[in-house]
Amino acid sequence: MLLTSGRIRHFTAEGCFDTIDIFEQQACLGGVWNYYPHIPSHDIDVPQTNPHQLPEEPYWSYKKDCGASAKDVEPRPMFITPMYDRLESNIPNFLMKYSDDSSLEDLPLFPRHELVLQYLQTYGSEIRHLVKFQTQVYDVRQVSHDEREGWLVCSKNIISNKATEKLYDAVAVANGHYSLPTLPDIPGIKQWNEAYPRAITHSKFYRSPDAFAGQKVVIIGNSASGLDIAAQIGSVSKLPVVVSKRSESSPSPKSNPNRKFERPEIIEFLSPINDTRAVKFADGTVESRIDRVVFCTGYYFSFPFLSSVKPPFTTTGERVENLYKHLFSIDHPSIAFLGIPTKIIPFRTCEGQAAIVARVWSSCLNLPNKLKMKEWETQRVADRGDDKKFHELRLLEDLAYHNEMVDWAKEASPTGVGKIPPKWSKKDEWTRCRVGAIKAAYIDRGEARSSVRRMEELGFNYEDWLEAEHQS
């Protein structure tokens, strides 16, 4: 068996797998939560519309990232993540935590990224011996193995460049989807970028607002990260920060209306011939003298190491294709993808998924036949579309999805000794519906917010609400 990231306690607990290997290209546990403040200057493709790119190249650093000591003199390979200096979680600690480790609740209600990283590294310490760090998988190839489907996994050690091949019965893909940025092809953007090099960037490369001091900035996208980055940049840039959006924003902290100005989507980057550094919005308005444009427009699903597998798992990069329940490959059920759904509470969602995959691969659960699985995908496309909305779980759908996984795992026969996470409660559902408002109240506490541990301190009390409902 191969695993490319954490989520492994459910596999080891099942006690049915002779070999479990985890391939991790970073130097330490934590995945996307690894923060590297010292990233090199970069030239991003503008536009960036190609989801089919080669495996990511590392950059080499002498900095004390990833636990390196001051005595380290050897360069360390790093892979850039979208973590930035002042990032805080947008999920309360008691919802965000793994079900079997409540220590996250000892931290601020919305913990900073370095605290989440510590939590993950501590949580994963018992399976570190299974991890091949600084090892990049560059090809996964279907082979015949004991008269059944098998997978030849080709990897290389990033330090030594030594290549290794090993045969596995199953492959769990958990490489995340925050690696390959999307940067749309808006009319005029290429010429604008050529005229003003590095004026256009993507949120993946944002680290702190300092680089934007005194500049006029346009933020494209109003996701949680887009709004957070806009607020941070607005503390040092020219005001107001212009936020270009296609949909309504989630609840956000009270802000000075002079700090942020919302516009519809950009429809054109105007010709640089007149050197006005201008863009045009869908309502016909124009903003000029723009110094920087930050795209907070998300990422492609990208699996360069699966390019030889047919049919392809993605063509547009907007969704994973031929997938049942956002989890199992329909054509190759011995490949599973963990963490694909978006707008979810990721740790607990992946727990439920891992429980299912472990029990299916240990022959304690059966998948529907191929026709039934394809019918599910076809219906999902009809309901949500054949784009990034396919994997989007709307409010409370992520909790329902997790509960479905838990109920499914309980159907295992024999029941086995594996781990099954608990289902979400009514209180969890109540809280999930109010996360945006809770985060806004938390941010409004200013610097004092780091002392807040529980949502009740901000006036959000489920028991009081429930009693009031019973009395009304």
Side-chain angles (χ1 to χ4, degrees), residues 260-290:
K260 184 179 74 173
F261 189 78
E262 293 186 345
R263 295 282 198 192
E265 63 183 302
I266 293 176
I267 60 172
E268 184 180 3
F269 281 76
L270 298 181
S271 172
I273 291 176
N274 297 323
D275 195 28
T276 57
R277 301 177 73 106
V279 299
K280 185 177 181 179
F281 299 92
D283 61 1
T285 57
V286 172
E287 285 285 345
S288 58
R289 304 301 173 193
I290 296 168

Side-chain angles (χ1 to χ4, degrees), residues 425-437:
S425 68
K426 292 295 183 182
K427 180 179 179 180
D428 295 329
E429 293 178 3
W430 182 88
T431 306
R432 185 73 171 107
C433 293
R434 292 160 177 80
V435 165

Side-chain angles (χ1 to χ4, degrees), residues 93-94 97 101-108 119 453-454:
N93 52 22
F94 64 97
K97 68 178 183 180
D101 186 350
S102 62
S103 62
L104 200 63
E105 294 185 61
D106 300 330
L107 304 176
Y119 173 79
R453 296 291 186 271
R454 302 171 67 243

Side-chain angles (χ1 to χ4, degrees), residues 86-335:
R86 303 180 191 178
L87 183 140
E88 296 171 337
S89 166
N90 59 357
I91 301 172
N93 52 22
F94 64 97
L95 290 184
M96 186 181 192
K97 68 178 183 180
Y98 283 109
S99 63
D100 57 352
D101 186 350
S102 62
S103 62
L104 200 63
E105 294 185 61
D106 300 330
L107 304 176
L109 185 61
F110 294 90
R112 281 178 55 94
H113 63 83
E114 64 268 22
L115 298 176
V116 177
L117 178 63
Q118 288 177 359
Y119 173 79
L120 292 174
Q121 291 180 340
T122 300
Y123 184 80
S125 59
E126 68 181 49
I127 53 89
R128 279 187 62 92
H129 64 286
L130 301 175
V131 185
K132 301 177 187 297
F133 289 109
Q134 297 177 326
T135 301
Q136 187 175 66
V137 175
Y138 62 87
D139 191 26
V140 175
R141 204 175 304 155
Q142 185 181 10
V143 295
S144 176
H145 172 47
D146 292 339
E147 298 183 354
R148 65 182 188 271
E149 184 176 67
W151 302 97
L152 185 67
V153 174
C154 306
S155 64
K156 67 176 181 180
N157 181 282
I158 298 167
I159 302 293
S160 67
N161 212 35
K162 180 182 178 181
T164 303
E165 295 182 355
K166 189 172 180 178
L167 194 61
Y168 295 89
D169 295 308
V171 175
V173 180
N175 66 325
H177 39 85
Y178 298 101
S179 178
L180 185 59
T182 63
L183 210 157
D185 189 4
I186 301 171
I189 190 172
K190 186 174 183 179
Q191 294 80 7
W192 210 90
N193 181 65
E194 290 172 350
Y196 313 117
R198 297 187 178 175
I200 295 174
T201 189
H202 188 277
S203 57
K204 177 179 179 178
F205 307 104
Y206 173 79
R207 288 298 175 268
S208 79
D210 300 342
F212 300 86
Q215 297 182 337
K216 183 173 182 177
V217 182
V218 174
I219 306 291
I220 300 178
N222 64 329
S223 63
S225 60
L227 294 175
D228 189 32
I229 289 172
Q232 291 188 18
I233 288 177
S235 67
V236 299
S237 68
K238 289 182 180 177
L239 297 177
V241 175
V242 179
V243 177
S244 170
K245 61 176 191 170
R246 289 194 296 181
S247 59
E248 289 303 311
S249 305
S250 301
S252 57
K254 305 182 190 77
S255 60
N256 185 334
N258 295 323
R259 281 193 172 275
K260 184 179 74 173
F261 189 78
E262 293 186 345
R263 295 282 198 192
E265 63 183 302
I266 293 176
I267 60 172
E268 184 180 3
F269 281 76
L270 298 181
S271 172
I273 291 176
N274 297 323
D275 195 28
T276 57
R277 301 177 73 106
V279 299
K280 185 177 181 179
F281 299 92
D283 61 1
T285 57
V286 172
E287 285 285 345
S288 58
R289 304 301 173 193
I290 296 168
D291 296 300
R292 303 291 299 277
V293 179
V294 182
F295 278 83
C296 302
T297 43
Y299 300 81
Y300 287 116
F301 291 102
S302 179
F303 311 103
F305 49 89
L306 294 174
S307 59
S308 65
V309 182
K310 304 301 179 189
F313 287 111
T314 186
T315 52
T316 65
E318 292 194 319
R319 78 171 182 95
V320 186
E321 299 161 27
N322 305 300
L323 210 59
Y324 176 63
K325 295 287 185 178
H326 312 285
L327 185 56
F328 287 100
S329 166
I330 295 172
D331 296 281
H332 308 287
S334 54
I335 289 186

Side-chain angles (χ1 to χ4, degrees), residues 59-63 68 72-78 134 158-159:
Y59 76 95
W60 297 83
S61 173
Y62 289 88
K63 301 294 182 180
D72 288 338
V73 294
E74 294 295 324
R76 301 164 63 84
M78 309 291 182
Q134 297 177 326
I158 298 167
I159 302 293

